[in-house]
Amino acid sequence: MQDKVKAWIATILKLPQVAKTQPHAAYSVFVQRVSGQWTFFLYTKPDISSFLQPLEDAIRLQFITSITGPDSISDIKRDFLLFQHALVVLIPNPITLAIQADHQARILEQNCEVCRVVSVQF
């Protein structure tokens, strides 16, 4: 998992160079391509949020500041960038998404167990 995270970070670290002249293009690449690379793992690998802090740090300290300016991003600003409006996340936080995916997987497992119990009774 650490190799995957390092590869994702390497990709994130390329985006600030693009953002210097084309911030919208850098954002589009991040949302359309880069974040999709780890989304699959969030839903297929349980309990990976602890591995994702370096990725979140790269997003927060390198990518976001390349778009919003050199000032550091406060927790409030970072949470705002997670704001979901019309099912769109401005800049996803991989740790938050991993925790949500784990929660959804557990709910699904519980529902499947209920379905199995019900089907056995009939």
Side-chain angles (χ1 to χ4, degrees):
M1 189 71 215
Q2 290 176 341
D3 291 340
K4 290 280 188 193
V5 171
K6 287 179 183 177
W8 299 330
I9 291 171
T11 303
I12 293 293
L13 295 179
K14 294 176 186 173
L15 293 177
Q17 187 64 30
V18 175
K20 287 180 182 178
T21 58
Q22 299 175 331
H24 189 280
Y27 172 75
S28 295
V29 168
F30 176 81
V31 171
Q32 299 292 326
R33 302 282 292 150
V34 178
S35 63
Q37 294 175 351
W38 67 73
T39 301
F40 172 78
F41 286 92
L42 300 181
Y43 289 96
T44 57
K45 305 286 185 192
D47 302 320
I48 65 167
S49 60
S50 61
F51 293 100
L52 300 175
Q53 188 61 53
L55 178 61
E56 170 56 19
D57 292 344
I59 294 168
R60 184 179 191 149
L61 301 174
Q62 301 294 321
F63 174 64
I64 293 175
T65 56
S66 72
I67 293 175
T68 62
D71 295 336
S72 63
I73 299 294
S74 68
D75 290 339
I76 293 171
K77 286 182 182 178
R78 182 62 177 112
D79 288 345
F80 175 76
L81 294 174
L82 286 171
F83 175 69
Q84 296 184 14
H85 178 71
L87 301 176
V88 175
V89 176
L90 296 178
I91 299 179
N93 179 326
I95 296 170
T96 303
L97 293 177
I99 292 168
Q100 289 172 349
D102 284 345
H103 178 72
Q104 290 171 355
R106 287 187 184 97
I107 290 172
L108 183 59
E109 286 173 4
Q110 291 171 352
N111 290 338
C112 288
E113 186 61 33
V114 169
C115 292
R116 277 187 235 122
V117 170
V118 170
S119 66
V120 169
Q121 291 177 354
F122 290 105

